[in-house]
Amino acid sequence: MTEAPVLRPAAGRGPGLERCHGSRLSVEDGALVLRARGRTRRVPVGDGGVARAVFVDAAPADAGRDEPGRPDAWGEVRLQDRDGTQVARIPLGDWLPEAPALPERAVQGEQLLERTGVAGLLKTAGVPLHVARDRNDPRAGSGKGGVSLGPGPAFPLWYWCVRGVAGTLWFSAFTVVVFSDTVPGRLVLLLALTALCGPVARLVLRAWTRLRAGRRRVTVLERVTPDPAPGSGATVRFLRDTEVRVQNRDLVLRDLGGQEYWFPRTGAHAVTRLVKVLDGTGRPVGAELRGPGEQVRAVFPWDLWFGGADGADGWSRLCGVPGLPVSERRLGGKRTWPKGPVLGTGLLPRTGRDARRMARFPGTAAGVSSTAVMAFGNLFSVIQGVRVADTAPGPAAVAVAAGALGLVLQAVPYAVHELRGRLVLDRTAAERTTNEEARR
């Protein structure tokens, strides 16, 4: 008997790892059950609940952007009652583990439903599933109403509350300061302290993330790390951070940015096979991790993972994963491998700059703009503190100190990250070995 599917969320890193470890969507006792960040939400199935589902397999209006990770880019499943009223919705991109590594809509239709496990989930729940290729299809409804059965935000609620309250107060004070001829010292003090909240909250978030990671307990049955061939360009950071973990229920691929892709080992959407790929001469070029319908979920370029002196040992341990049969296939003619976008081809960035960008502590959806606003806020605090130094020396001194501290709290982590990467982590492993031998 096939085990009922339990959906895993899209890959995450930093605070987003909390979702990978804890967010799940399953069927229990006649209801769809969502567990995310310590909360549980139940959506009943049948009378008074979900009676049918419609997969809206249509690109969004701005589908021309080839950019992974956008909301609703992958389509959604709308859960409706017997009258057609939307009860809930399942954003498919949030439940596709490899979604952050793929261009939007790289997987579509029934293949997407199988990969995420939604097809098996609804089948287990006894909910009929229809497919709408057009957002205006009458069966799709309006798309409004109901709860979202997503894994939740990557950043914790407390962080958003702190940033939201501080940002609102800062903008209010900033508006008064800009449009006033005379500025009270207390207002400048409020401006500086609220601007400081951003950098401080980010540092607290870093510490919170590290503390939570240290408290997680997972049973690792096997751990396979890359053993690249000489000349592959593998860096110290790549060798240190990239790995495959075999856990009780999951097979986890971790990249050098700390992002983890969780694939279930059981259920209708589990990974099912490991395939060794050979070229026309019989030389191994890589391996494929396959899932439902023989879909390729991830690839392992041979020279990067198993081309070194001890690569055979890593391959044999990966082949020993229980419940994961191993087979071989040979490429014919001049066929390239892998075919199409797939997770695993970009695990080793081309440049050190790209690697440092991948490994940087994740930011919000605003990205660089958020950091720029925080830096401007702290610099503005220093300027306003100097401006009121004669009329309010006490608040002015605090404002200047708070602004300077905010700038330092942003600059130091960035400088340490860049210098450590340039001097140590993003050098090739062979280069570092040569330098160490020369020093001896």
Side-chain angles (χ1 to χ4, degrees):
M1 182 177 178
T2 303
E3 183 176 329
V6 178
L7 274 56
R8 272 72 170 172
R13 63 192 184 97
L17 282 178
E18 194 82 11
R19 299 192 309 182
C20 294
H21 283 262
S23 296
R24 297 291 185 268
L25 181 60
S26 59
V27 178
E28 300 176 18
D29 300 326
L32 296 175
V33 179
L34 171 68
R35 290 184 172 85
R37 287 198 176 277
R39 63 183 177 88
T40 300
R41 172 172 285 165
R42 299 176 64 89
V43 177
V45 173
D47 295 335
V50 177
R52 68 179 183 181
V54 179
F55 170 35
V56 183
D57 185 24
D62 54 352
R65 292 171 54 187
D66 184 21
E67 186 177 303
R70 292 196 300 127
D72 300 327
W74 297 89
E76 64 182 11
V77 173
R78 297 174 181 174
L79 306 176
Q80 303 170 350
D81 62 16
R82 298 190 185 281
D83 298 325
T85 303
Q86 185 163 300
V87 176
R89 63 184 183 89
I90 303 176
L92 291 183
D94 286 351
W95 295 107
L96 179 66
E98 62 266 43
L102 301 179
E104 65 181 40
R105 296 185 62 77
V107 185
Q108 302 179 35
E110 285 71 15
Q111 289 188 343
L112 180 57
L113 292 171
E114 290 179 352
R115 280 203 194 193
T116 56
V118 170
L121 185 80
L122 295 176
K123 182 178 180 180
T124 302
V127 177
L129 176 61
H130 309 280
V131 178
R133 307 292 181 184
D134 187 340
R135 290 181 177 270
N136 295 322
D137 190 312
R139 293 177 301 179
S142 65
K144 299 179 180 179
V147 297
S148 175
L149 297 181
F155 289 76
L157 180 61
W158 65 261
Y159 180 75
W160 288 118
C161 290
V162 170
R163 292 293 303 271
V165 172
T168 301
L169 292 175
W170 179 85
F171 185 76
S172 301
F174 172 79
T175 303
V176 175
V177 168
V178 168
F179 292 100
S180 298
D181 295 329
T182 59
V183 181
R186 292 181 179 178
L187 191 61
V188 172
L189 185 61
L190 175 64
L191 186 80
L193 293 180
T194 52
L196 182 61
C197 285
V200 170
R202 181 176 289 183
L203 284 181
V204 173
L205 179 63
R206 285 174 178 261
W208 180 87
T209 301
R210 189 177 294 273
L211 180 63
R212 300 280 288 187
R215 289 179 175 177
R216 296 191 190 107
R217 295 291 180 265
V218 294
T219 301
V220 179
L221 305 179
E222 187 64 82
R223 195 185 300 269
V224 179
T225 56
D227 186 34
S232 62
T235 62
V236 175
R237 191 194 301 272
F238 176 78
L239 296 179
R240 184 193 69 171
D241 295 342
T242 307
E243 67 176 10
V244 173
R245 293 198 314 267
V246 182
Q247 301 175 178
N248 285 337
R249 297 178 178 271
D250 306 273
L251 191 147
V252 182
L253 173 61
R254 187 178 192 272
D255 67 18
L256 56 71
Q259 189 147 262
E260 294 187 354
Y261 305 83
W262 287 52
F263 299 103
R265 295 179 58 204
T266 59
H269 65 310
V271 288
T272 57
R273 184 176 299 276
L274 185 65
V275 181
K276 185 178 182 180
V277 182
L278 311 175
D279 63 12
T281 65
R283 185 182 69 87
V285 295
E288 298 171 342
L289 184 66
R290 296 189 170 226
E294 292 297 315
Q295 296 184 59
V296 179
R297 307 298 303 271
V299 297
F300 305 94
W302 196 267
D303 286 347
L304 204 58
W305 279 88
F306 313 111
D310 298 323
D313 177 64
W315 173 246
S316 64
R317 286 188 288 119
L318 190 58
C319 291
V321 176
L324 193 66
V326 182
S327 61
E328 291 186 0
R329 76 178 182 95
R330 189 182 292 254
L331 298 175
K334 297 182 179 180
R335 290 179 59 187
T336 59
W337 182 88
K339 184 179 180 181
V342 62
L343 171 63
T345 56
L347 292 186
L348 180 61
R350 295 182 179 181
T351 66
R353 182 179 181 181
D354 291 337
R356 289 188 290 277
R357 183 168 58 248
M358 282 181 61
R360 194 171 297 142
F361 191 80
T364 63
V368 177
S369 299
S370 175
T371 300
V373 169
M374 287 196 297
F376 170 78
N378 288 283
L379 180 61
F380 191 73
S381 300
V382 174
I383 295 174
Q384 294 304 314
V386 173
R387 177 185 175 184
V388 300
D390 294 335
T391 57
V398 175
V400 171
L405 178 60
L407 292 173
V408 169
L409 293 181
Q410 293 179 79
V412 169
Y414 176 80
V416 170
H417 175 79
E418 288 292 317
L419 288 174
R420 192 181 180 204
R422 290 174 182 271
L423 298 178
V424 180
L425 297 179
D426 296 322
R427 291 189 172 189
T428 63
E431 179 184 359
R432 184 181 183 187
T433 301
T434 302
N435 291 339
E436 290 177 351
E437 292 176 349
R439 285 196 294 269
R440 292 172 186 169

Short mmCIF file of all heavy atoms in Angstrom, two decimals, residues 71-108:
data_model
loop_
_atom_site.label_atom_id
_atom_site.label_comp_id
_atom_site.label_asym_id
_atom_site.label_seq_id
_atom_site.Cartn_x
_atom_site.Cartn_y
_atom_site.Cartn_z
N PRO A 71 5.70 34.65 -6.70
CA PRO A 71 4.42 34.09 -6.26
C PRO A 71 3.50 33.81 -7.45
O PRO A 71 3.42 34.60 -8.38
CB PRO A 71 3.86 35.18 -5.35
CG PRO A 71 5.03 36.00 -4.94
CD PRO A 71 5.98 35.95 -6.10
N ASP A 72 2.79 32.68 -7.40
CA ASP A 72 1.79 32.31 -8.40
C ASP A 72 2.35 32.06 -9.79
O ASP A 72 1.59 31.88 -10.74
CB ASP A 72 0.68 33.38 -8.49
CG ASP A 72 -0.04 33.55 -7.17
OD1 ASP A 72 -0.16 32.56 -6.44
OD2 ASP A 72 -0.46 34.68 -6.88
N ALA A 73 3.68 32.10 -9.96
CA ALA A 73 4.25 31.86 -11.29
C ALA A 73 3.99 30.44 -11.75
O ALA A 73 3.93 30.16 -12.94
CB ALA A 73 5.75 32.15 -11.28
N TRP A 74 3.85 29.51 -10.80
CA TRP A 74 3.69 28.11 -11.14
C TRP A 74 2.22 27.69 -11.24
O TRP A 74 1.92 26.53 -11.52
CB TRP A 74 4.39 27.25 -10.08
CG TRP A 74 5.86 27.49 -10.03
CD1 TRP A 74 6.51 28.42 -9.27
CD2 TRP A 74 6.86 26.81 -10.77
NE1 TRP A 74 7.86 28.35 -9.48
CE2 TRP A 74 8.11 27.37 -10.40
CE3 TRP A 74 6.84 25.77 -11.71
CZ2 TRP A 74 9.32 26.93 -10.94
CZ3 TRP A 74 8.04 25.33 -12.24
CH2 TRP A 74 9.26 25.91 -11.87
N GLY A 75 1.32 28.61 -11.00
CA GLY A 75 -0.09 28.24 -10.99
C GLY A 75 -0.53 27.84 -9.59
O GLY A 75 0.28 27.76 -8.66
N GLU A 76 -1.81 27.58 -9.45
CA GLU A 76 -2.34 27.22 -8.14
C GLU A 76 -3.52 26.26 -8.30
O GLU A 76 -4.16 26.20 -9.35
CB GLU A 76 -2.78 28.47 -7.37
CG GLU A 76 -3.92 29.23 -8.02
CD GLU A 76 -4.30 30.48 -7.26
OE1 GLU A 76 -3.56 30.86 -6.34
OE2 GLU A 76 -5.34 31.08 -7.58
N VAL A 77 -3.78 25.54 -7.24
CA VAL A 77 -4.95 24.66 -7.18
C VAL A 77 -5.98 25.33 -6.29
O VAL A 77 -5.69 25.64 -5.12
CB VAL A 77 -4.58 23.27 -6.64
CG1 VAL A 77 -5.84 22.44 -6.42
CG2 VAL A 77 -3.65 22.55 -7.60
N ARG A 78 -7.17 25.57 -6.84
CA ARG A 78 -8.23 26.24 -6.10
C ARG A 78 -9.20 25.18 -5.59
O ARG A 78 -9.75 24.39 -6.37
CB ARG A 78 -8.95 27.25 -6.99
CG ARG A 78 -8.02 28.37 -7.45
CD ARG A 78 -8.67 29.30 -8.45
NE ARG A 78 -7.72 30.33 -8.86
CZ ARG A 78 -7.97 31.23 -9.83
NH1 ARG A 78 -9.16 31.21 -10.45
NH2 ARG A 78 -7.06 32.13 -10.15
N LEU A 79 -9.39 25.17 -4.29
CA LEU A 79 -10.25 24.19 -3.64
C LEU A 79 -11.62 24.81 -3.41
O LEU A 79 -11.74 25.87 -2.77
CB LEU A 79 -9.63 23.75 -2.31
CG LEU A 79 -8.19 23.23 -2.41
CD1 LEU A 79 -7.64 22.92 -1.02
CD2 LEU A 79 -8.11 22.01 -3.30
N GLN A 80 -12.66 24.16 -3.93
CA GLN A 80 -14.01 24.73 -3.92
C GLN A 80 -14.99 23.78 -3.23
O GLN A 80 -14.78 22.57 -3.19
CB GLN A 80 -14.47 24.99 -5.37
CG GLN A 80 -13.54 25.90 -6.15
CD GLN A 80 -13.89 25.93 -7.63
OE1 GLN A 80 -14.70 25.14 -8.11
NE2 GLN A 80 -13.28 26.87 -8.36
N ASP A 81 -16.06 24.37 -2.72
CA ASP A 81 -17.13 23.54 -2.14
C ASP A 81 -18.11 23.14 -3.24
O ASP A 81 -17.88 23.42 -4.43
CB ASP A 81 -17.83 24.26 -0.99
CG ASP A 81 -18.52 25.55 -1.42
OD1 ASP A 81 -18.74 25.73 -2.65
OD2 ASP A 81 -18.87 26.36 -0.56
N ARG A 82 -19.21 22.51 -2.89
CA ARG A 82 -20.14 22.00 -3.90
C ARG A 82 -20.82 23.11 -4.69
O ARG A 82 -21.29 22.90 -5.81
CB ARG A 82 -21.20 21.13 -3.21
CG ARG A 82 -20.62 19.90 -2.53
CD ARG A 82 -21.70 18.94 -2.08
NE ARG A 82 -21.12 17.83 -1.33
CZ ARG A 82 -20.52 16.78 -1.87
NH1 ARG A 82 -20.43 16.70 -3.19
NH2 ARG A 82 -20.04 15.81 -1.11
N ASP A 83 -20.84 24.33 -4.13
CA ASP A 83 -21.47 25.45 -4.82
C ASP A 83 -20.48 26.23 -5.69
O ASP A 83 -20.86 27.22 -6.32
CB ASP A 83 -22.10 26.41 -3.82
CG ASP A 83 -23.22 25.74 -3.02
OD1 ASP A 83 -23.92 24.88 -3.62
OD2 ASP A 83 -23.38 26.04 -1.82
N GLY A 84 -19.20 25.81 -5.68
CA GLY A 84 -18.20 26.50 -6.47
C GLY A 84 -17.50 27.64 -5.75
O GLY A 84 -16.67 28.35 -6.33
N THR A 85 -17.85 27.84 -4.47
CA THR A 85 -17.18 28.88 -3.68
C THR A 85 -15.79 28.42 -3.28
O THR A 85 -15.61 27.29 -2.83
CB THR A 85 -18.00 29.22 -2.43
OG1 THR A 85 -19.32 29.62 -2.82
CG2 THR A 85 -17.34 30.32 -1.62
N GLN A 86 -14.82 29.31 -3.43
CA GLN A 86 -13.45 28.92 -3.11
C GLN A 86 -13.26 28.84 -1.59
O GLN A 86 -13.51 29.79 -0.86
CB GLN A 86 -12.46 29.93 -3.71
CG GLN A 86 -11.01 29.53 -3.53
CD GLN A 86 -10.09 30.30 -4.46
OE1 GLN A 86 -10.20 30.23 -5.67
NE2 GLN A 86 -9.15 31.03 -3.87
N VAL A 87 -12.79 27.67 -1.15
CA VAL A 87 -12.56 27.42 0.27
C VAL A 87 -11.11 27.68 0.65
O VAL A 87 -10.79 28.21 1.70
CB VAL A 87 -12.95 25.97 0.63
CG1 VAL A 87 -12.64 25.67 2.08
CG2 VAL A 87 -14.41 25.73 0.32
N ALA A 88 -10.20 27.28 -0.25
CA ALA A 88 -8.77 27.43 0.00
C ALA A 88 -8.04 27.34 -1.33
O ALA A 88 -8.64 27.05 -2.38
CB ALA A 88 -8.27 26.35 0.96
N ARG A 89 -6.76 27.61 -1.30
CA ARG A 89 -5.95 27.47 -2.52
C ARG A 89 -4.56 26.96 -2.14
O ARG A 89 -4.05 27.22 -1.05
CB ARG A 89 -5.85 28.80 -3.27
CG ARG A 89 -5.14 29.92 -2.51
CD ARG A 89 -5.18 31.22 -3.29
NE ARG A 89 -4.45 32.28 -2.60
CZ ARG A 89 -3.15 32.51 -2.77
NH1 ARG A 89 -2.45 31.76 -3.63
NH2 ARG A 89 -2.54 33.48 -2.11
N ILE A 90 -3.97 26.22 -3.07
CA ILE A 90 -2.63 25.67 -2.86
C ILE A 90 -1.70 26.28 -3.90
O ILE A 90 -1.80 25.94 -5.09
CB ILE A 90 -2.63 24.13 -2.98
CG1 ILE A 90 -3.62 23.50 -2.01
CG2 ILE A 90 -1.23 23.59 -2.74
CD1 ILE A 90 -3.74 21.99 -2.15
N PRO A 91 -0.81 27.19 -3.53
CA PRO A 91 0.16 27.74 -4.48
C PRO A 91 1.23 26.68 -4.78
O PRO A 91 2.03 26.32 -3.91
CB PRO A 91 0.74 28.94 -3.74
CG PRO A 91 0.52 28.66 -2.29
CD PRO A 91 -0.69 27.78 -2.19
N LEU A 92 1.27 26.17 -6.00
CA LEU A 92 2.12 25.02 -6.31
C LEU A 92 3.60 25.33 -6.19
O LEU A 92 4.39 24.47 -5.81
CB LEU A 92 1.79 24.50 -7.71
CG LEU A 92 0.41 23.85 -7.86
CD1 LEU A 92 0.23 23.32 -9.26
CD2 LEU A 92 0.25 22.72 -6.85
N GLY A 93 4.00 26.56 -6.55
CA GLY A 93 5.41 26.90 -6.45
C GLY A 93 5.95 26.83 -5.04
O GLY A 93 7.14 26.58 -4.84
N ASP A 94 5.07 27.01 -4.06
CA ASP A 94 5.49 26.94 -2.66
C ASP A 94 5.71 25.51 -2.19
O ASP A 94 6.30 25.29 -1.12
CB ASP A 94 4.44 27.60 -1.76
CG ASP A 94 4.47 29.11 -1.86
OD1 ASP A 94 5.40 29.64 -2.48
OD2 ASP A 94 3.54 29.77 -1.35
N TRP A 95 5.23 24.53 -2.98
CA TRP A 95 5.37 23.12 -2.58
C TRP A 95 6.20 22.32 -3.58
O TRP A 95 6.15 21.09 -3.59
CB TRP A 95 4.00 22.48 -2.41
CG TRP A 95 3.20 23.08 -1.29
CD1 TRP A 95 2.13 23.90 -1.40
CD2 TRP A 95 3.45 22.92 0.11
NE1 TRP A 95 1.68 24.26 -0.15
CE2 TRP A 95 2.47 23.67 0.80
CE3 TRP A 95 4.39 22.21 0.86
CZ2 TRP A 95 2.40 23.74 2.20
CZ3 TRP A 95 4.32 22.27 2.25
CH2 TRP A 95 3.34 23.02 2.90
N LEU A 96 6.97 23.01 -4.41
CA LEU A 96 7.90 22.35 -5.33
C LEU A 96 9.31 22.58 -4.80
O LEU A 96 9.82 23.70 -4.88
CB LEU A 96 7.76 22.92 -6.74
CG LEU A 96 8.70 22.32 -7.79
CD1 LEU A 96 8.37 20.86 -8.04
CD2 LEU A 96 8.61 23.12 -9.10
N PRO A 97 9.98 21.56 -4.23
CA PRO A 97 11.28 21.77 -3.58
C PRO A 97 12.30 22.50 -4.44
O PRO A 97 13.01 23.39 -3.96
CB PRO A 97 11.74 20.35 -3.25
CG PRO A 97 10.46 19.59 -3.06
CD PRO A 97 9.51 20.17 -4.07
N GLU A 98 12.38 22.17 -5.74
CA GLU A 98 13.41 22.76 -6.58
C GLU A 98 12.99 24.06 -7.25
O GLU A 98 13.72 24.60 -8.11
CB GLU A 98 13.89 21.77 -7.63
CG GLU A 98 12.82 21.30 -8.61
CD GLU A 98 12.14 20.02 -8.19
OE1 GLU A 98 11.81 19.88 -7.00
OE2 GLU A 98 11.93 19.15 -9.05
N ALA A 99 11.83 24.61 -6.91
CA ALA A 99 11.31 25.82 -7.57
C ALA A 99 12.31 26.99 -7.57
O ALA A 99 12.46 27.66 -8.60
CB ALA A 99 10.00 26.24 -6.93
N PRO A 100 13.02 27.28 -6.46
CA PRO A 100 13.93 28.43 -6.50
C PRO A 100 15.09 28.28 -7.48
O PRO A 100 15.73 29.28 -7.83
CB PRO A 100 14.46 28.49 -5.04
CG PRO A 100 13.42 27.82 -4.23
CD PRO A 100 12.90 26.73 -5.10
N ALA A 101 15.37 27.07 -7.93
CA ALA A 101 16.51 26.84 -8.83
C ALA A 101 16.09 26.77 -10.29
O ALA A 101 16.95 26.65 -11.17
CB ALA A 101 17.23 25.55 -8.45
N LEU A 102 14.79 26.85 -10.59
CA LEU A 102 14.30 26.67 -11.95
C LEU A 102 13.64 27.94 -12.47
O LEU A 102 13.10 28.72 -11.69
CB LEU A 102 13.28 25.53 -12.00
CG LEU A 102 13.74 24.14 -11.55
CD1 LEU A 102 12.58 23.16 -11.65
CD2 LEU A 102 14.92 23.66 -12.38
N PRO A 103 13.68 28.16 -13.78
CA PRO A 103 12.89 29.25 -14.36
C PRO A 103 11.42 28.95 -14.14
O PRO A 103 11.01 27.79 -14.10
CB PRO A 103 13.25 29.20 -15.86
CG PRO A 103 14.51 28.40 -15.95
CD PRO A 103 14.48 27.44 -14.80
N GLU A 104 10.64 30.01 -14.01
CA GLU A 104 9.21 29.80 -13.77
C GLU A 104 8.58 28.98 -14.88
O GLU A 104 8.93 29.10 -16.05
CB GLU A 104 8.49 31.14 -13.62
CG GLU A 104 8.49 31.99 -14.88
CD GLU A 104 7.79 33.32 -14.65
OE1 GLU A 104 7.96 33.91 -13.58
OE2 GLU A 104 7.06 33.74 -15.57
N ARG A 105 7.68 28.09 -14.48
CA ARG A 105 6.93 27.24 -15.39
C ARG A 105 7.83 26.31 -16.20
O ARG A 105 7.48 25.89 -17.32
CB ARG A 105 6.03 28.08 -16.31
CG ARG A 105 4.95 28.83 -15.53
CD ARG A 105 3.99 29.56 -16.44
NE ARG A 105 3.25 28.69 -17.32
CZ ARG A 105 2.21 27.94 -16.96
NH1 ARG A 105 1.80 27.97 -15.69
NH2 ARG A 105 1.57 27.19 -17.83
N ALA A 106 9.00 25.99 -15.67
CA ALA A 106 9.85 24.99 -16.31
C ALA A 106 9.18 23.63 -16.27
O ALA A 106 9.47 22.76 -17.09
CB ALA A 106 11.22 24.94 -15.63
N VAL A 107 8.30 23.43 -15.30
CA VAL A 107 7.48 22.22 -15.19
C VAL A 107 6.03 22.67 -15.15
O VAL A 107 5.67 23.59 -14.43
CB VAL A 107 7.82 21.42 -13.91
CG1 VAL A 107 7.06 20.11 -13.88
CG2 VAL A 107 9.32 21.19 -13.80
N GLN A 108 5.18 22.01 -15.94
CA GLN A 108 3.80 22.43 -16.04
C GLN A 108 2.86 21.23 -16.01
O GLN A 108 3.29 20.08 -16.04
CB GLN A 108 3.57 23.22 -17.34
CG GLN A 108 4.45 24.45 -17.51
CD GLN A 108 4.19 25.16 -18.83
OE1 GLN A 108 3.07 25.20 -19.32
NE2 GLN A 108 5.24 25.73 -19.40
#
